[in-house]
Amino acid sequence: MTTLDDIVSLCKRRGFIYPGSEIYGGITGFWDYGPMGSQLKRNLKNLWWKHMIQLRDDVVGLDAAIIMNPAVWEASGHTTAFADPLVECKVCHKRFRADKEEEMIAHTKEHKEAVVWTEPKQFNLLTEAYLGVTEPKQKVYLRGEITQGVFVNFQNVVDSTRVKIPFGIAQIGKAFRNEITPGNFTFRSREFEQMEMEFFIKPDEESGKKWFDYWKEQRMTWYRSLGFKAESLRFRDHRDDERAFYAKFATDIEYQAPFGWSEFEGIHHRGDWDLGKHKLTYKDPVTGEIFTPWVIETSGGVDRATLFLLLEAYTKEEKRIVLKLHPSLAPTTVAVFPLMPNKQELVEKAKNVYHQLKTDYSTAWDDRGNIGKRYLAQDETGTPFCVTIDFTTLEDDTVTIRFRDTASQERVPLQKLTEIIKTYMKEA
Ligand code: GAP
Protein backbone atom coordinates (compact mmCIF):
# COMPACT_ATOMS: atom_id res chain seq x y z
CA MET A 1 0.00 0.00 0.00
CA THR A 2 1.39 3.40 -1.00
CA THR A 3 1.80 5.71 1.97
CA LEU A 4 1.44 9.47 2.05
CA ASP A 5 5.15 9.65 2.97
CA ASP A 6 6.03 7.84 -0.30
CA ILE A 7 4.26 10.59 -2.24
CA VAL A 8 5.57 13.51 -0.16
CA SER A 9 9.11 12.26 -0.65
CA LEU A 10 8.66 11.64 -4.39
CA CYS A 11 7.09 15.08 -4.83
CA LYS A 12 10.07 16.83 -3.22
CA ARG A 13 12.70 14.63 -4.88
CA ARG A 14 11.33 14.92 -8.40
CA GLY A 15 9.98 18.47 -8.42
CA PHE A 16 6.23 17.92 -8.11
CA ILE A 17 5.34 19.78 -4.90
CA TYR A 18 7.39 21.77 -2.38
CA PRO A 19 6.36 23.28 0.97
CA GLY A 20 5.36 26.94 0.47
CA SER A 21 7.99 29.60 1.41
CA GLU A 22 10.29 26.77 2.50
CA ILE A 23 13.48 28.84 2.89
CA TYR A 24 11.69 30.93 5.53
CA GLY A 25 10.47 27.89 7.48
CA GLY A 26 7.33 27.32 5.40
CA ILE A 27 3.76 28.46 6.06
CA THR A 28 1.07 26.01 7.15
CA GLY A 29 -1.47 25.12 4.49
CA PHE A 30 0.37 26.51 1.43
CA TRP A 31 2.22 24.52 -1.24
CA ASP A 32 4.21 25.33 -4.37
CA TYR A 33 4.10 23.14 -7.47
CA GLY A 34 7.47 22.51 -9.12
CA PRO A 35 8.25 21.85 -12.80
CA MET A 36 6.64 18.37 -12.77
CA GLY A 37 3.69 19.22 -10.52
CA SER A 38 2.73 22.39 -12.36
CA GLN A 39 2.69 20.50 -15.68
CA LEU A 40 0.67 17.62 -14.20
CA LYS A 41 -1.87 20.05 -12.77
CA ARG A 42 -2.04 21.97 -16.06
CA ASN A 43 -2.63 18.73 -17.99
CA LEU A 44 -5.43 17.78 -15.59
CA LYS A 45 -7.08 21.19 -15.92
CA ASN A 46 -6.76 21.11 -19.73
CA LEU A 47 -8.42 17.68 -19.88
CA TRP A 48 -11.21 18.90 -17.59
CA TRP A 49 -11.75 22.04 -19.71
CA LYS A 50 -11.86 19.97 -22.89
CA HIS A 51 -14.31 17.47 -21.40
CA MET A 52 -16.57 19.97 -19.65
CA ILE A 53 -16.60 22.81 -22.20
CA GLN A 54 -14.92 22.16 -25.54
CA LEU A 55 -16.64 18.84 -26.25
CA ARG A 56 -20.08 20.00 -25.09
CA ASP A 57 -22.70 22.28 -26.64
CA ASP A 58 -24.35 23.25 -23.37
CA VAL A 59 -21.51 24.54 -21.16
CA VAL A 60 -19.54 27.78 -21.51
CA GLY A 61 -16.39 28.94 -19.71
CA LEU A 62 -15.72 31.84 -17.36
CA ASP A 63 -12.76 33.32 -15.49
CA ALA A 64 -14.04 35.57 -12.70
CA ALA A 65 -11.96 37.73 -10.34
CA ILE A 66 -10.82 36.31 -7.00
CA ILE A 67 -11.84 39.42 -5.08
CA MET A 68 -15.45 40.53 -5.39
CA ASN A 69 -17.60 43.18 -3.81
CA PRO A 70 -18.05 41.96 -0.19
CA ALA A 71 -21.81 42.34 -0.71
CA VAL A 72 -21.60 39.10 -2.76
CA TRP A 73 -20.51 37.15 0.34
CA GLU A 74 -23.13 38.82 2.54
CA ALA A 75 -25.87 37.89 0.06
CA SER A 76 -24.65 34.32 -0.53
CA GLY A 77 -24.66 33.60 3.21
CA HIS A 78 -20.91 32.93 3.45
CA THR A 79 -20.15 35.69 5.98
CA THR A 80 -22.46 33.99 8.47
CA ALA A 81 -22.83 30.32 7.49
CA PHE A 82 -19.49 29.37 5.87
CA ALA A 83 -18.05 28.04 9.12
CA ASP A 84 -16.63 24.92 10.74
CA PRO A 85 -17.13 23.97 14.40
CA LEU A 86 -13.89 24.69 16.32
CA VAL A 87 -12.87 23.12 19.63
CA GLU A 88 -9.73 23.70 21.67
CA CYS A 89 -7.76 21.18 23.73
CA LYS A 90 -7.62 22.72 27.23
CA VAL A 91 -4.30 20.97 27.91
CA CYS A 92 -2.19 22.35 25.05
CA HIS A 93 -4.57 24.86 23.40
CA LYS A 94 -4.33 23.21 19.98
CA ARG A 95 -7.46 23.76 17.89
CA PHE A 96 -9.43 21.14 15.98
CA ARG A 97 -12.56 20.73 13.90
CA ALA A 98 -15.26 19.22 16.08
CA ASP A 99 -16.67 17.38 13.03
CA LYS A 100 -13.36 15.50 12.48
CA GLU A 101 -13.70 12.96 15.25
CA GLU A 102 -10.71 10.83 14.13
CA GLU A 103 -8.36 13.83 14.41
CA MET A 104 -9.61 14.59 17.92
CA ILE A 105 -9.20 10.94 18.96
CA ALA A 106 -5.63 10.92 17.59
CA HIS A 107 -4.88 14.07 19.57
CA THR A 108 -6.10 12.63 22.86
CA LYS A 109 -3.42 9.93 22.47
CA GLU A 110 -0.71 12.62 22.45
CA HIS A 111 -1.42 13.48 26.10
CA LYS A 112 -0.87 11.33 29.20
CA GLU A 113 -3.67 13.12 31.09
CA ALA A 114 -7.32 13.11 29.98
CA VAL A 115 -8.07 15.76 27.37
CA VAL A 116 -10.82 18.26 28.09
CA TRP A 117 -12.30 20.10 25.11
CA THR A 118 -13.91 23.54 24.96
CA GLU A 119 -17.49 23.81 23.69
CA PRO A 120 -17.62 23.94 19.84
CA LYS A 121 -17.62 27.48 18.41
CA GLN A 122 -18.48 28.33 14.80
CA PHE A 123 -15.31 29.55 13.04
CA ASN A 124 -15.75 31.43 9.74
CA LEU A 125 -13.49 30.17 6.94
CA LEU A 126 -13.45 33.27 4.74
CA THR A 127 -9.99 34.84 4.42
CA GLU A 128 -9.99 38.61 4.87
CA ALA A 129 -7.86 41.09 2.91
CA TYR A 130 -7.71 44.90 2.98
CA LEU A 131 -7.73 47.24 -0.02
CA GLY A 132 -7.04 50.95 -0.52
CA VAL A 133 -4.40 53.48 0.48
CA THR A 134 -6.17 55.51 3.16
CA GLU A 135 -7.52 54.33 6.53
CA PRO A 136 -9.96 52.77 7.10
CA LYS A 137 -9.09 50.34 4.35
CA GLN A 138 -11.87 48.38 2.67
CA LYS A 139 -12.31 44.88 4.05
CA VAL A 140 -12.76 42.31 1.28
CA TYR A 141 -12.60 38.50 1.11
CA LEU A 142 -10.48 36.14 -0.93
CA ARG A 143 -13.14 33.90 -2.45
CA GLY A 144 -13.97 30.88 -0.30
CA GLU A 145 -15.40 29.06 -3.35
CA ILE A 146 -14.99 30.06 -7.00
CA THR A 147 -18.70 29.51 -7.49
CA GLN A 148 -20.07 32.94 -6.60
CA GLY A 149 -18.18 34.45 -9.57
CA VAL A 150 -20.44 32.36 -11.82
CA PHE A 151 -23.67 33.48 -10.15
CA VAL A 152 -22.85 37.18 -10.23
CA ASN A 153 -22.16 36.84 -13.98
CA PHE A 154 -25.26 34.74 -14.71
CA GLN A 155 -27.13 37.63 -16.33
CA ASN A 156 -24.03 38.77 -18.28
CA VAL A 157 -23.60 35.30 -19.78
CA VAL A 158 -27.31 34.95 -20.65
CA ASP A 159 -27.32 38.41 -22.29
CA SER A 160 -24.03 38.07 -24.18
CA THR A 161 -24.22 34.48 -25.48
CA ARG A 162 -26.84 32.14 -26.93
CA VAL A 163 -27.18 29.82 -23.94
CA LYS A 164 -30.63 28.47 -23.12
CA ILE A 165 -31.68 26.47 -20.09
CA PRO A 166 -30.49 23.80 -19.43
CA PHE A 167 -26.90 25.08 -19.66
CA GLY A 168 -23.76 25.27 -17.58
CA ILE A 169 -21.06 27.82 -16.76
CA ALA A 170 -17.70 26.31 -15.83
CA GLN A 171 -14.48 27.73 -14.48
CA ILE A 172 -11.19 26.83 -12.84
CA GLY A 173 -9.50 29.00 -10.25
CA LYS A 174 -8.01 29.55 -6.83
CA ALA A 175 -10.05 29.53 -3.64
CA PHE A 176 -8.94 30.33 -0.10
CA ARG A 177 -10.13 28.99 3.22
CA ASN A 178 -8.83 29.81 6.67
CA GLU A 179 -8.86 26.09 7.54
CA ILE A 180 -8.61 25.25 11.25
CA THR A 181 -6.46 22.17 10.65
CA PRO A 182 -4.69 22.09 7.29
CA GLY A 183 -3.12 18.68 6.82
CA ASN A 184 -2.57 15.41 4.98
CA PHE A 185 -0.11 17.13 2.63
CA THR A 186 -2.06 19.18 0.04
CA PHE A 187 -5.39 17.54 0.94
CA ARG A 188 -6.54 20.29 3.27
CA SER A 189 -4.77 23.52 2.30
CA ARG A 190 -5.58 27.17 2.84
CA GLU A 191 -5.04 28.05 -0.83
CA PHE A 192 -6.21 25.57 -3.45
CA GLU A 193 -7.72 25.34 -6.92
CA GLN A 194 -11.23 24.29 -7.84
CA MET A 195 -12.68 23.15 -11.18
CA GLU A 196 -16.39 23.74 -11.07
CA MET A 197 -19.49 23.82 -13.20
CA GLU A 198 -22.85 25.33 -12.30
CA PHE A 199 -25.61 23.79 -14.43
CA PHE A 200 -28.83 25.84 -14.61
CA ILE A 201 -32.06 23.89 -14.97
CA LYS A 202 -35.84 24.30 -14.72
CA PRO A 203 -36.98 24.55 -11.10
CA ASP A 204 -38.80 21.25 -10.73
CA GLU A 205 -38.08 18.03 -8.85
CA GLU A 206 -37.99 15.87 -11.99
CA SER A 207 -35.34 18.04 -13.69
CA GLY A 208 -33.40 18.23 -10.43
CA LYS A 209 -33.22 14.46 -10.08
CA LYS A 210 -32.51 13.87 -13.76
CA TRP A 211 -29.55 16.30 -13.94
CA PHE A 212 -28.16 15.40 -10.52
CA ASP A 213 -27.99 11.73 -11.54
CA TYR A 214 -26.63 12.66 -14.97
CA TRP A 215 -23.73 14.72 -13.57
CA LYS A 216 -22.92 12.13 -10.91
CA GLU A 217 -22.45 9.53 -13.62
CA GLN A 218 -20.54 11.90 -15.94
CA ARG A 219 -18.06 12.95 -13.31
CA MET A 220 -17.35 9.42 -12.03
CA THR A 221 -16.87 8.14 -15.60
CA TRP A 222 -14.43 10.96 -16.30
CA TYR A 223 -12.28 10.21 -13.26
CA ARG A 224 -12.20 6.53 -14.21
CA SER A 225 -11.06 7.49 -17.72
CA LEU A 226 -8.03 9.17 -16.10
CA GLY A 227 -6.87 5.85 -14.70
CA PHE A 228 -8.57 5.54 -11.30
CA LYS A 229 -9.50 1.93 -10.63
CA ALA A 230 -13.21 1.30 -9.94
CA GLU A 231 -12.47 0.09 -6.40
CA SER A 232 -10.48 3.23 -5.55
CA LEU A 233 -13.52 5.50 -5.94
CA ARG A 234 -16.98 5.63 -4.43
CA PHE A 235 -19.95 7.95 -4.01
CA ARG A 236 -20.99 9.03 -0.54
CA ASP A 237 -24.25 10.88 0.06
CA HIS A 238 -24.08 13.66 2.65
CA ARG A 239 -26.02 13.19 5.85
CA ASP A 240 -28.57 15.90 6.67
CA ASP A 241 -26.30 17.28 9.41
CA GLU A 242 -23.19 17.68 7.22
CA ARG A 243 -24.64 19.26 4.07
CA ALA A 244 -23.40 22.76 3.17
CA PHE A 245 -25.86 25.54 3.95
CA TYR A 246 -26.64 26.05 0.25
CA ALA A 247 -27.32 22.41 -0.70
CA LYS A 248 -30.67 20.60 -1.03
CA PHE A 249 -28.72 17.36 -1.32
CA ALA A 250 -25.14 16.40 -2.05
CA THR A 251 -22.93 13.47 -2.98
CA ASP A 252 -19.15 13.30 -2.78
CA ILE A 253 -16.82 11.36 -5.01
CA GLU A 254 -14.32 9.87 -2.59
CA TYR A 255 -10.92 8.24 -3.03
CA GLN A 256 -9.57 5.47 -0.84
CA ALA A 257 -6.55 7.43 0.43
CA PRO A 258 -3.99 6.17 2.96
CA PHE A 259 -5.77 8.38 5.51
CA GLY A 260 -9.20 6.88 4.73
CA TRP A 261 -11.99 7.51 2.18
CA SER A 262 -11.69 11.20 1.31
CA GLU A 263 -13.75 13.64 -0.76
CA PHE A 264 -12.26 15.27 -3.83
CA GLU A 265 -15.38 16.28 -5.77
CA GLY A 266 -18.84 17.23 -4.63
CA ILE A 267 -22.01 17.07 -6.74
CA HIS A 268 -24.43 19.50 -5.12
CA HIS A 269 -28.08 20.28 -5.76
CA ARG A 270 -28.04 23.97 -4.80
CA GLY A 271 -31.70 24.53 -5.75
CA ASP A 272 -32.47 28.25 -6.09
CA TRP A 273 -30.30 29.20 -3.08
CA ASP A 274 -27.74 31.32 -4.94
CA LEU A 275 -29.73 32.94 -7.76
CA GLY A 276 -32.49 33.56 -5.22
CA LYS A 277 -30.08 35.27 -2.80
CA HIS A 278 -28.66 37.42 -5.63
CA LYS A 279 -32.22 38.15 -6.84
CA LEU A 280 -31.53 36.86 -10.36
CA THR A 281 -34.11 35.32 -12.65
CA TYR A 282 -34.30 33.85 -16.16
CA LYS A 283 -36.82 34.61 -18.90
CA ASP A 284 -37.66 31.65 -21.13
CA PRO A 285 -37.10 32.95 -24.69
CA VAL A 286 -39.99 30.86 -26.11
CA THR A 287 -42.74 31.01 -23.46
CA GLY A 288 -41.74 34.32 -21.85
CA GLU A 289 -42.05 32.63 -18.43
CA ILE A 290 -39.84 34.20 -15.75
CA PHE A 291 -38.41 31.93 -13.04
CA THR A 292 -35.41 31.36 -10.75
CA PRO A 293 -33.46 28.41 -12.19
CA TRP A 294 -32.16 25.62 -9.97
CA VAL A 295 -28.50 24.71 -10.00
CA ILE A 296 -26.71 21.38 -10.08
CA GLU A 297 -23.05 21.89 -9.29
CA THR A 298 -20.00 19.71 -9.89
CA SER A 299 -17.18 21.00 -7.70
CA GLY A 300 -13.79 19.30 -7.94
CA GLY A 301 -10.51 20.11 -6.25
CA VAL A 302 -7.54 20.31 -8.61
CA ASP A 303 -5.03 19.76 -5.79
CA ARG A 304 -6.88 16.83 -4.27
CA ALA A 305 -7.37 15.18 -7.68
CA THR A 306 -3.64 15.69 -8.38
CA LEU A 307 -2.68 14.15 -5.03
CA PHE A 308 -4.98 11.18 -5.58
CA LEU A 309 -3.75 10.66 -9.14
CA LEU A 310 -0.20 10.50 -7.76
CA LEU A 311 -1.25 8.01 -5.08
CA GLU A 312 -3.09 5.88 -7.63
CA ALA A 313 -0.21 5.93 -10.14
CA TYR A 314 2.62 5.26 -7.68
CA THR A 315 3.87 1.71 -8.24
CA LYS A 316 6.77 0.12 -6.40
CA GLU A 317 8.33 -2.68 -8.44
CA GLU A 318 11.32 -4.82 -7.52
CA LYS A 319 13.86 -2.59 -9.20
CA ARG A 320 12.09 0.69 -9.77
CA ILE A 321 9.39 3.13 -8.74
CA VAL A 322 7.03 3.93 -11.62
CA LEU A 323 4.34 6.57 -11.81
CA LYS A 324 1.78 4.91 -14.05
CA LEU A 325 0.01 8.14 -14.92
CA HIS A 326 -2.34 8.29 -17.90
CA PRO A 327 -0.09 9.42 -20.83
CA SER A 328 -2.21 12.57 -21.32
CA LEU A 329 -1.53 13.56 -17.70
CA ALA A 330 2.18 12.72 -17.53
CA PRO A 331 4.24 15.92 -17.07
CA THR A 332 6.71 14.77 -19.71
CA THR A 333 5.38 12.78 -22.66
CA VAL A 334 8.68 11.79 -24.17
CA ALA A 335 12.34 11.91 -23.10
CA VAL A 336 15.18 11.89 -25.62
CA PHE A 337 18.63 10.49 -24.86
CA PRO A 338 21.85 10.37 -26.90
CA LEU A 339 23.41 7.01 -26.04
CA MET A 340 26.72 8.71 -25.19
CA PRO A 341 26.95 12.39 -24.26
CA ASN A 342 30.53 12.76 -25.51
CA LYS A 343 29.89 11.65 -29.11
CA GLN A 344 29.14 14.82 -31.02
CA GLU A 345 27.34 13.10 -33.93
CA LEU A 346 24.95 11.29 -31.52
CA VAL A 347 24.24 14.48 -29.54
CA GLU A 348 23.54 16.47 -32.72
CA LYS A 349 21.14 13.85 -34.07
CA ALA A 350 19.42 13.51 -30.69
CA LYS A 351 19.05 17.29 -30.37
CA ASN A 352 17.32 17.34 -33.77
CA VAL A 353 14.87 14.66 -32.65
CA TYR A 354 14.34 16.48 -29.34
CA HIS A 355 13.52 19.82 -31.00
CA GLN A 356 11.24 18.12 -33.52
CA LEU A 357 9.23 16.29 -30.82
CA LYS A 358 9.06 19.43 -28.65
CA THR A 359 6.68 21.14 -31.09
CA ASP A 360 4.04 18.44 -30.42
CA TYR A 361 4.83 17.03 -26.99
CA SER A 362 6.22 17.98 -23.61
CA THR A 363 9.75 16.65 -24.19
CA ALA A 364 12.71 16.19 -21.84
CA TRP A 365 16.42 15.91 -22.62
CA ASP A 366 18.76 13.77 -20.54
CA ASP A 367 22.38 12.91 -21.23
CA ARG A 368 23.57 12.27 -17.66
CA GLY A 369 24.79 8.92 -16.31
CA ASN A 370 23.99 5.65 -18.01
CA ILE A 371 20.82 4.84 -19.92
CA GLY A 372 19.47 2.62 -17.10
CA LYS A 373 19.60 5.49 -14.61
CA ARG A 374 17.95 7.85 -17.10
CA TYR A 375 15.08 5.35 -17.53
CA LEU A 376 14.64 5.11 -13.77
CA ALA A 377 14.50 8.90 -13.39
CA GLN A 378 11.85 9.16 -16.14
CA ASP A 379 9.85 6.27 -14.61
CA GLU A 380 9.60 8.19 -11.34
CA THR A 381 8.03 11.20 -13.04
CA GLY A 382 5.75 9.02 -15.19
CA THR A 383 7.23 9.68 -18.66
CA PRO A 384 5.47 7.14 -20.92
CA PHE A 385 8.11 7.10 -23.71
CA CYS A 386 11.92 7.31 -23.81
CA VAL A 387 13.71 7.53 -27.14
CA THR A 388 17.40 6.66 -27.48
CA ILE A 389 19.61 7.74 -30.37
CA ASP A 390 22.54 5.35 -30.88
CA PHE A 391 25.06 4.47 -33.56
CA THR A 392 22.51 2.44 -35.53
CA THR A 393 20.38 5.59 -35.78
CA LEU A 394 23.20 7.27 -37.68
CA GLU A 395 23.22 4.38 -40.16
CA ASP A 396 19.52 3.67 -40.78
CA ASP A 397 17.51 6.48 -39.11
CA THR A 398 15.84 4.17 -36.60
CA VAL A 399 15.59 4.80 -32.84
CA THR A 400 14.78 2.76 -29.77
CA ILE A 401 11.50 3.62 -28.09
CA ARG A 402 11.06 2.31 -24.57
CA PHE A 403 7.62 2.03 -22.98
CA ARG A 404 7.29 3.01 -19.31
CA ASP A 405 4.75 0.47 -18.04
CA THR A 406 6.28 -2.66 -19.53
CA ALA A 407 9.89 -1.41 -19.82
CA SER A 408 9.84 -3.08 -23.25
CA GLN A 409 11.75 -1.59 -26.17
CA GLU A 410 11.13 -1.43 -29.90
CA ARG A 411 13.26 -0.27 -32.81
CA VAL A 412 11.23 2.08 -35.01
CA PRO A 413 11.91 4.35 -37.99
CA LEU A 414 12.48 7.94 -36.87
CA GLN A 415 10.00 9.09 -39.50
CA LYS A 416 7.20 7.18 -37.77
CA LEU A 417 8.01 8.26 -34.21
CA THR A 418 5.47 11.08 -33.87
CA GLU A 419 2.74 8.88 -35.36
CA ILE A 420 3.54 5.96 -33.02
CA ILE A 421 3.37 8.23 -29.97
CA LYS A 422 0.14 9.84 -31.21
CA THR A 423 -1.53 6.44 -31.76
CA TYR A 424 -0.43 5.17 -28.36
CA MET A 425 -1.73 8.32 -26.62
CA LYS A 426 -5.10 8.00 -28.39
CA GLU A 427 -5.50 4.36 -27.44
CA ALA A 428 -4.43 4.80 -23.79
N1 GAP B 1 -18.69 25.34 -4.61
C1 GAP B 1 -18.86 24.24 -3.76
C2 GAP B 1 -17.71 23.94 -2.94
O1 GAP B 1 -16.77 24.71 -2.84
P1 GAP B 1 -16.75 22.13 -1.34
O2 GAP B 1 -17.20 20.71 -1.14
O3 GAP B 1 -16.60 22.99 -0.17
O4 GAP B 1 -17.79 22.74 -2.36
C3 GAP B 1 -15.31 21.47 -3.40
O5 GAP B 1 -15.39 22.10 -2.15
C4 GAP B 1 -13.97 20.82 -3.57
O6 GAP B 1 -12.92 21.76 -3.33
C5 GAP B 1 -13.70 19.67 -2.58
O7 GAP B 1 -14.28 18.48 -3.01
C6 GAP B 1 -12.19 19.63 -2.59
O8 GAP B 1 -11.72 18.87 -3.67
C7 GAP B 1 -11.81 21.08 -2.79
N2 GAP B 1 -11.45 21.66 -1.47
C8 GAP B 1 -12.28 22.18 -0.56
N3 GAP B 1 -11.61 22.60 0.53
C9 GAP B 1 -10.31 22.32 0.28
C10 GAP B 1 -9.10 22.52 1.01
N4 GAP B 1 -9.08 23.11 2.19
N5 GAP B 1 -7.92 22.12 0.45
C11 GAP B 1 -7.91 21.53 -0.77
N6 GAP B 1 -9.02 21.33 -1.50
C12 GAP B 1 -10.20 21.71 -0.99
Side-chain angles (χ1 to χ4, degrees):
M1 170 94 176
T2 305
T3 66
L4 197 57
D5 283 347
D6 290 331
I7 299 302
V8 174
S9 149
L10 176 90
C11 282
K12 183 84 202 305
R13 190 168 73 244
R14 293 290 178 196
F16 281 90
I17 304 172
Y18 314 121
S21 319
E22 195 181 12
I23 61 167
Y24 289 100
I27 172 167
T28 307
F30 296 87
W31 300 93
D32 297 335
Y33 286 76
M36 289 297 128
S38 52
Q39 188 64 55
L40 169 58
K41 217 154 72 122
R42 183 167 295 276
N43 292 346
L44 174 67
K45 290 187 285 185
N46 287 347
L47 288 175
W48 184 89
W49 193 269
K50 183 173 179 189
H51 181 77
M52 295 297 282
I53 299 166
Q54 188 186 325
L55 295 177
R56 297 190 66 98
D57 297 329
D58 55 357
V59 181
V60 293
L62 186 83
D63 189 358
I66 287 175
I67 294 179
M68 291 186 276
N69 189 316
V72 172
W73 302 106
E74 299 287 344
S76 67
H78 282 76
T79 50
T80 47
F82 191 50
D84 281 336
L86 176 150
V87 286
E88 192 173 301
C89 164
K90 286 191 179 175
V91 181
C92 67
H93 304 289
K94 257 193 172 169
R95 289 166 173 184
F96 290 86
R97 273 175 61 173
D99 57 346
K100 296 284 166 200
E101 215 180 314
E102 336 74 76
E103 290 172 22
M104 289 171 68
I105 292 171
H107 182 69
T108 55
K109 292 183 186 147
E110 288 174 22
H111 291 294
K112 285 200 188 90
E113 63 270 62
V115 166
V116 182
W117 299 100
T118 58
E119 282 302 307
K121 257 198 325 234
Q122 286 305 108
F123 175 80
N124 195 282
L125 300 178
L126 284 177
T127 312
E128 293 169 8
Y130 293 87
L131 294 180
V133 284
T134 51
E135 298 292 344
K137 292 185 176 169
Q138 187 193 8
K139 184 168 98 174
V140 291
Y141 301 102
L142 303 183
R143 59 187 177 191
E145 58 168 4
I146 63 171
T147 333
Q148 294 304 320
V150 167
F151 297 130
V152 298
N153 282 293
F154 173 76
Q155 200 61 55
N156 282 335
V157 173
V158 170
D159 291 346
S160 59
T161 69
R162 290 187 298 161
V163 291
K164 277 206 253 21
I165 273 179
F167 73 93
I169 305 178
Q171 68 169 337
I172 298 176
K174 292 266 189 178
F176 302 82
R177 293 185 190 174
N178 197 2
E179 293 284 358
I180 298 166
T181 48
N184 284 330
F185 197 24
T186 56
F187 179 77
R188 202 182 301 139
S189 308
R190 288 181 167 143
E191 174 179 336
F192 54 94
E193 252 180 310
Q194 295 184 308
M195 39 191 185
E196 287 195 338
M197 192 240 4
E198 310 303 317
F199 200 74
F200 300 94
I201 58 169
K202 287 203 159 158
D204 63 67
E205 297 297 340
E206 198 186 325
S207 302
K209 181 165 175 12
K210 178 178 121 187
W211 287 110
F212 189 82
D213 290 346
Y214 171 83
W215 282 112
K216 258 178 77 172
E217 194 271 329
Q218 282 283 311
R219 299 303 302 139
M220 182 63 100
T221 305
W222 186 70
Y223 281 117
R224 289 201 181 137
S225 78
L226 298 185
F228 282 110
K229 293 184 283 296
E231 62 271 24
S232 302
L233 301 179
R234 73 173 190 191
F235 286 118
R236 190 182 68 81
D237 289 342
H238 281 206
R239 299 183 311 270
D240 287 348
D241 63 344
E242 66 173 324
R243 254 197 319 270
F245 60 95
Y246 49 72
K248 270 165 90 76
F249 46 90
T251 291
D252 287 338
I253 299 181
E254 294 188 331
Y255 177 71
Q256 190 165 30
F259 41 89
W261 283 99
S262 306
E263 167 208 348
F264 69 112
E265 170 140 345
I267 292 99
H268 306 134
H269 188 327
R270 295 179 76 121
D272 64 359
W273 173 272
D274 303 274
L275 293 186
K277 293 284 175 196
H278 297 304
K279 302 189 171 39
L280 293 162
T281 53
Y282 174 82
K283 184 174 178 186
D284 189 299
V286 179
T287 63
E289 184 195 356
I290 294 174
F291 58 89
T292 305
W294 283 1
V295 173
I296 305 298
E297 167 184 71
T298 67
S299 175
V302 179
D303 307 82
R304 287 189 187 176
T306 301
L307 174 62
F308 293 162
L309 282 164
L310 287 168
L311 278 160
E312 186 78 355
Y314 187 95
T315 313
K316 221 183 233 164
E317 293 180 357
E318 205 187 323
K319 292 199 177 127
R320 60 176 192 158
I321 289 168
V322 201
L323 265 192
K324 294 192 172 173
L325 287 168
H326 190 286
S328 309
L329 285 166
T332 305
T333 310
V334 51
V336 177
F337 312 147
L339 182 67
M340 295 159 89
N342 53 358
K343 294 286 174 201
Q344 196 52 31
E345 60 276 36
L346 286 183
V347 173
E348 250 171 49
K349 183 77 182 172
K351 279 275 177 196
N352 280 342
V353 174
Y354 168 71
H355 287 298
Q356 203 183 316
L357 287 169
K358 230 172 160 29
T359 58
D360 290 315
Y361 301 108
S362 161
T363 308
W365 171 264
D366 196 355
D367 58 9
R368 299 160 308 162
N370 63 40
I371 290 282
K373 281 202 177 126
R374 294 184 215 164
Y375 283 150
L376 292 185
Q378 295 300 328
D379 285 343
E380 283 206 358
T381 56
T383 307
F385 314 103
C386 293
V387 171
T388 302
I389 280 72
D390 56 19
F391 291 105
T392 312
T393 313
L394 302 180
E395 284 165 20
D396 64 4
D397 236 21
T398 59
V399 293
T400 309
I401 181 165
R402 185 257 196 189
F403 298 91
R404 175 195 70 196
D405 294 349
T406 53
S408 61
Q409 299 182 18
E410 251 178 64
R411 189 111 210 147
V412 302
L414 194 46
Q415 249 188 346
K416 288 198 174 156
L417 191 57
T418 306
E419 206 47 45
I420 290 169
I421 294 172
K422 202 167 157 191
T423 310
Y424 192 93
M425 301 276 286
K426 247 194 187 153
E427 287 168 0

